[in-house]
Amino acid sequence: TMKALLPIASLLVLILATTITTTSALFVPRQQQQQIQQDPNNITTTKKRWTTRVRSALSNSNPLSSDNSSSSSVGMLVVDAACIGVGAVTGAVCRYQIGNIVTRKIQERPSLSYFAGWHTAGINIVGSFVLGTLAGMPTVDPAAASLDQHRGITARSRLCMGVGFCGSFTTFSTFSVDVVTMLGKGEMTRAFSYLALNNVGGVMAAFAGFNVAKRILSR
């Protein structure tokens, strides 16, 4: 059903875009309308302007060029989504495996039960460092000819690592639930220590990553 409706929706969008473009081309400011009313001789000139605007609008809303640009935009969107998806899956799997390892270690050594859930703070700190490092790296064009212009990260690599990996690897929701759970158990000291470690540690890690990237690239 969705595949059958897609061509119809595309046609409707194209017609709507053409209509809006043509209508805007025919728009005449109020000041110009007053000038026409005051001087009838300007009617011929105004008609010529209208004709020029209509031709320009129709040429700019050429269905073939619109289809080509739409196809190009859709293709870029798909590639960007794929980059984000690869990074997101990798980050989510890494966080899941780290949680499994920490849970297994705590089960093997019950004396470490006090640190249950603290691995989330560690994950957020590591993710903040990675994202800070990415923020300190300039976006480069992969087609650049100069070697100096390659000292950075491409836009799609930034999407993959920043939006995808760091976005799914780090978690604020789990951290918030952990704090609420600790407060519900009356563990005030543990909750505030966990809160401070996550927030202060995350900011410091991001700051460190940003400066590390700047120093490395400045050499």
Side-chain angles (χ1 to χ4, degrees):
T1 304
M2 294 299 296
K3 291 182 179 180
L5 293 177
L6 185 58
I8 299 175
S10 301
L11 180 60
L12 291 175
V13 171
L14 180 60
I15 294 174
L16 180 60
T18 304
T19 303
I20 294 175
T21 306
T22 306
T23 304
S24 63
L26 295 174
F27 176 76
V28 180
R30 180 175 300 178
Q31 183 179 2
Q32 187 174 346
Q33 292 177 359
Q34 293 175 355
Q35 293 177 355
I36 294 173
Q37 293 174 357
Q38 293 174 0
D39 188 2
N41 294 327
N42 287 333
I43 294 178
T44 304
T45 304
T46 303
K47 287 183 178 180
K48 292 182 180 179
R49 291 177 180 175
W50 286 3
T51 303
T52 303
R53 289 186 178 186
V54 171
R55 289 177 179 175
S56 177
L58 292 177
S59 63
N60 290 335
S61 58
N62 187 353
L64 295 178
S65 62
S66 178
D67 289 342
N68 292 334
S69 61
S70 298
S71 301
S72 178
S73 299
V74 171
M76 292 179 63
L77 181 61
V78 170
V79 175
D80 291 345
C83 291
I84 295 173
V86 170
V89 170
T90 305
V93 171
C94 288
R95 177 158 60 90
Y96 174 75
Q97 290 298 331
I98 291 174
N100 284 341
I101 294 173
V102 171
T103 301
R104 192 181 313 118
K105 293 297 182 180
I106 291 176
Q107 290 176 350
E108 294 174 357
R109 301 180 61 181
S111 59
L112 299 177
S113 59
Y114 178 83
F115 298 101
W118 284 66
H119 67 281
T120 301
I123 288 174
N124 288 340
I125 291 173
V126 173
S128 297
F129 179 83
V130 174
L131 194 58
T133 303
L134 295 175
M137 301 174 66
T139 302
V140 298
D141 183 4
S146 175
L147 183 60
D148 293 335
Q149 294 176 342
H150 286 279
R151 294 175 62 85
I153 186 171
T154 63
R156 288 205 170 105
S157 297
R158 190 182 299 278
L159 284 177
C160 180
M161 292 295 296
V163 179
F165 179 81
C166 292
S168 62
F169 182 66
T170 60
T171 170
F172 187 81
S173 56
T174 303
F175 156 71
S176 301
V177 172
D178 289 342
V179 173
V180 171
T181 302
M182 293 175 187
L183 292 175
K185 294 180 180 179
E187 300 174 341
M188 300 296 179
T189 303
R190 184 185 178 196
F192 284 107
S193 299
Y194 180 68
L195 181 68
L197 176 64
N198 187 89
N199 291 343
V200 178
V203 173
M204 293 179 63
F207 180 78
F210 183 85
N211 283 277
V212 167
K214 287 293 186 182
R215 289 193 176 186
I216 292 177
L217 294 176
S218 63
R219 293 180 179 177

